[in-house]
């Protein structure tokens, strides 16, 4: 059975699924409530819940309103249409465990530009005011919580009834199938890739749209945008631009090439990204911090540098793979390990493992600038409250966990070659420490 079945035991699945279903939806709502209605203070929300208990949580939990459903449906439909309609280069993903090669149309950057230009034009010409999105944010999150559950059930049924490729199958356990997913590459028809839609075109795109929304809300409320909000928004948008510029590279990562499309990944993209990832900007709407030009520029430049290093790490590895190791890394021929491994069908294949450049610093060094970039777009909030830093904390845990999962997968795939690699590049994430 596919990898996702062996990596996670039933106990881990039950625990994480129950905690995700019971703790994350209230967390998303409480985060929104704290940022928007409780002055960003965790203590204030905690006191409120201590006094009112579960009833208090019920009282602040907004019902998904018709306008929220309408906004989500319009955004989703718009993104789905441009995903299909915009031209793009044909890109092949990595060979799947069952030997399938998924084919994509790389039009992410175009879709991103069209989305932002459309959204800003609707505001500029007075057709639609993005403030409406901010004012109904709680209802939107509430609708996304429910909607993503239904969406994942439909994915589960599709995996049983009409899988898109042979990279699918059941573990015989409903909960494991629902949580980790049935299919690796679910599609509607031949061309509409569901994971590209949920992860990139809904999740990442909603991050950009909400970042702009928070900016516009602050502008409409105060008549100006604070320098802290500008730094936050610029860094987030540059990072998301890098993501879409890099989208075809993302299709080769664990999220797409190894994790099946189940509740775990779809919930993250449909609910967690629009709420948690955007939260530093959500906080700044009602807390227009004035940094002053010097500090604002320092934070901005530091953040941009981190995003660039993160991009350069990925670029190095992609260039190395594309040229089969015949390229220059930092002006020198790369050092590498030629590793052979056996596929599920018993064929022997080889891979090149890069051990110089950024990839000689540590095995997952690219996570360091990614975490630092998130810190730099959160730090304009300064240090009055902890909550704006929750995303940085979450991202650190997520990426360290991903580094470990990736290492475990590579160790079982490459065996002795992975040991050689680890001897050459001993640190997992932080050079000299971890």
């Amino acid at each position: 059975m596919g990898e996702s079945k062996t990596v996670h035991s039933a106990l881990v699945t039950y625990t994480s699924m129950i905690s995700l279903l019971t703790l994350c939806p209230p967390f998303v709502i409480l985060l929104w409530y704290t940022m928007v209605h409780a002055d960003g203070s965790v203590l204030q929300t905690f006191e409120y819940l201590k006094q009112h208990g579960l009833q208090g949580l019920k009282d602040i939990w907004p019902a998904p309103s018709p306008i929220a459903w309408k906004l989500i449906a319009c955004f989703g439909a718009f993104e789905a249409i441009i995903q299909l309609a915009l031209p793009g280069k044909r890109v092949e993903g990595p060979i799947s465990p069952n030997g399938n090669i998924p084919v994509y149309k790389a039009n992410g950057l175009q879709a991103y530009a069209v989305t932002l230009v459309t959204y800003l034009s609707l505001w500029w010409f007075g057709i639609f005011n993005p403030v409406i999105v901010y004012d109904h944010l709680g209802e939107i999150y509430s609708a996304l919580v429910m909607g993503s559950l239904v969406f994942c059930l439909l994915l589960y049924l599709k995996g049983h009834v009409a899988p898109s490729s042979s990279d699918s199958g059941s573990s015989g356990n409903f909960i494991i199938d629902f949580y980790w997913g049935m299919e690796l590459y679910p599609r509607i028809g031949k061309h509409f890739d569901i994971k590209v839609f949920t992860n990139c075109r809904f999740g990442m795109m909603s991050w950009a749209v909400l970042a702009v929304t928070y900016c516009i809300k602050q502008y409409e409320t105060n008549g100006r945008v604070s320098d802290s909000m500008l730094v936050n928004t610029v860094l987030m948008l540059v990072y998301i631009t890098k993501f879409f510029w890099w989208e075809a590279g993302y299709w080769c990562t664990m999220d797409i090439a190894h994790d099946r499309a189940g509740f775990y990944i779809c919930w993250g993209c449909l609910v967690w990204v629009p709420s948690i990832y955007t939260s530093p900007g959500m906080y700044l709407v009602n807390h227009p911090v004035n940094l002053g030009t010097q500090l604002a520029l320092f934070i901005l430049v530091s953040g941009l540098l981190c995003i660039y290093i993160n991009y350069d790490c990925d670029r190095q590895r992609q260039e190395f793979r594309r040229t089969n190791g015949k390229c220059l890394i930092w002006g020198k021929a790369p050092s590498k390990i030629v590793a052979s491994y056996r596929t599920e069908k018993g064929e022997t294949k080889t891979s090149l493992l890069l051990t110089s450049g950024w990839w000689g610093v540590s095995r997952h060094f690219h996570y360091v600038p990614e975490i630092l970039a998130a810190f730099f777009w959160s730090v304009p909030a300064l240090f009055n409250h902890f909550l704006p830093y929750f995303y940085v904390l979450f991202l650190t845990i997520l990426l360290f966990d991903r580094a470990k999962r990736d290492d475990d997968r590579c160790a079982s795939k490459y065996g002795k070659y992975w040991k050689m690699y680890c001897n050459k590049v001993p640190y997992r994430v932080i050079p000299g420490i971890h």
Side-chain angles (χ1 to χ4, degrees):
M1 205 48 269
E3 205 155 3
S4 56
K5 302 296 169 268
T6 50
V7 175
H8 312 285
S9 69
L11 183 68
V12 171
T13 303
Y14 291 145
T15 317
S16 50
M17 177 162 172
I18 289 163
S19 55
L20 205 63
L21 275 169
T22 52
L23 301 177
C24 289
F27 185 83
V28 167
I29 301 298
L30 285 172
L31 178 104
W32 160 79
Y33 172 80
T34 308
M35 293 296 201
V36 175
H37 296 294
D39 198 37
S41 162
V42 179
L43 280 176
Q44 201 173 314
T45 303
F46 180 71
E47 285 300 323
Y48 172 83
L49 288 176
K50 212 164 81 175
Q51 275 178 346
H52 300 93
L54 267 180
Q55 188 54 45
L57 181 60
K58 265 192 209 148
D59 293 343
I60 59 178
W61 197 303
S65 60
I67 190 160
W69 287 117
K70 210 186 293 179
L71 289 167
I72 293 167
C74 287
F75 176 67
F78 180 80
E79 290 305 329
I81 289 164
I82 62 175
Q83 181 178 331
L84 283 170
L86 288 175
K89 210 171 80 184
R90 181 182 182 278
V91 172
E92 290 186 351
I95 300 176
S96 72
N98 283 354
N100 299 315
I101 299 178
V103 175
Y104 301 101
K105 183 165 64 168
N107 59 5
L109 208 55
Q110 296 92 307
Y112 179 58
V114 168
T115 301
L116 285 187
V117 168
T118 307
Y119 195 59
L120 287 166
S121 304
L122 290 172
W123 172 59
W124 188 255
F125 294 111
I127 301 163
F128 171 79
N129 193 343
V131 169
I132 294 168
V133 176
Y134 178 85
D135 293 342
H136 293 274
L137 208 48
E139 296 146 47
I140 290 171
Y141 290 149
S142 186
L144 285 173
V145 165
M146 291 166 70
S148 66
L149 259 176
V150 175
F151 181 82
C152 292
L153 272 172
L154 292 173
L155 268 185
Y156 169 78
L157 292 172
K158 179 187 174 313
H160 268 298
V161 180
S164 303
S165 77
S166 58
D167 284 293
S168 66
S170 169
S171 65
N173 179 323
F174 165 72
I175 303 234
I176 290 180
D177 288 348
F178 173 76
Y179 189 76
W180 294 116
M182 296 276 292
E183 295 187 76
L184 189 57
Y185 297 113
R187 297 199 161 185
I188 297 173
K190 196 174 165 206
H191 298 295
F192 189 74
D193 190 287
I194 293 174
K195 265 165 100 180
V196 170
F197 176 73
T198 54
N199 296 31
C200 309
R201 306 311 167 80
F202 194 97
M204 292 300 286
M205 210 68 88
S206 68
W207 185 359
V209 165
L210 285 171
V212 171
T213 303
Y214 300 150
C215 233
I216 291 171
K217 171 69 180 176
Q218 195 186 69
Y219 176 76
E220 301 248 322
T221 310
N222 304 340
R224 61 185 286 273
V225 178
S226 64
D227 53 9
S228 53
M229 181 64 105
L230 276 177
V231 170
N232 166 272
T233 310
V234 167
L235 284 177
M236 281 188 179
L237 290 181
V238 169
Y239 178 80
I240 300 161
T241 308
K242 184 218 73 152
F243 174 85
F244 282 112
W245 172 269
W246 185 250
E247 195 184 39
Y250 172 68
W251 294 334
C252 301
T253 63
M254 267 175 90
D255 286 7
I256 301 287
H258 299 285
D259 292 340
R260 293 181 170 205
F263 183 71
Y264 164 75
I265 208 154
C266 293
W267 157 271
C269 297
L270 298 173
V271 186
W272 202 244
V273 172
S275 56
I276 308 303
Y277 286 40
T278 69
S279 58
M282 200 193 306
Y283 171 82
L284 287 169
V285 172
N286 300 324
H287 303 83
V289 177
N290 276 323
L291 298 169
T293 315
Q294 254 179 321
L295 185 56
L297 277 175
F298 173 73
I299 295 171
L300 181 66
V301 171
S302 305
L304 290 172
L305 184 66
C306 289
I307 294 169
Y308 172 75
I309 293 172
N310 178 249
Y311 161 76
D312 197 51
C313 290
D314 286 332
R315 186 198 58 76
Q316 255 182 19
R317 184 170 57 180
Q318 199 178 30
E319 185 69 7
F320 174 76
R321 282 179 181 163
R322 194 179 59 78
T323 59
N324 217 0
K326 295 176 178 61
C327 60
L328 290 179
I329 302 262
W330 290 353
K332 292 202 292 271
S335 72
K336 59 183 182 281
I337 290 171
V338 181
S340 63
Y341 65 95
R342 288 174 83 80
T343 63
E344 284 186 5
K345 290 180 178 166
E347 301 163 22
T348 302
K349 299 204 166 177
T350 57
S351 272
L352 294 181
L353 306 176
L354 173 61
T355 59
S356 61
W358 296 114
W359 300 91
V361 179
S362 71
R363 299 195 293 275
H364 302 274
F365 180 74
H366 57 312
Y367 290 159
V368 176
E370 187 154 347
I371 290 165
L372 284 174
F375 171 76
F376 284 120
W377 70 62
S378 303
V379 85
L382 298 184
F383 299 102
N384 296 334
H385 291 294
F386 160 73
L387 208 51
Y389 295 92
F390 176 76
Y391 168 62
V392 184
L393 178 71
F394 161 75
L395 185 71
T396 306
I397 295 166
L398 174 84
L399 293 182
F400 273 72
D401 171 65
R402 184 176 294 179
K404 185 182 178 321
R405 284 200 303 150
D406 206 16
D407 274 13
D408 292 348
R409 204 174 49 75
C410 290
S412 65
K413 180 177 175 180
Y414 296 120
K416 63 176 181 183
Y417 298 104
W418 186 252
K419 281 204 180 80
M420 283 162 60
Y421 177 62
C422 291
N423 288 337
K424 214 161 179 196
V425 187
Y427 296 107
R428 187 181 283 160
V429 183
I430 304 168
I433 298 171
H434 180 69

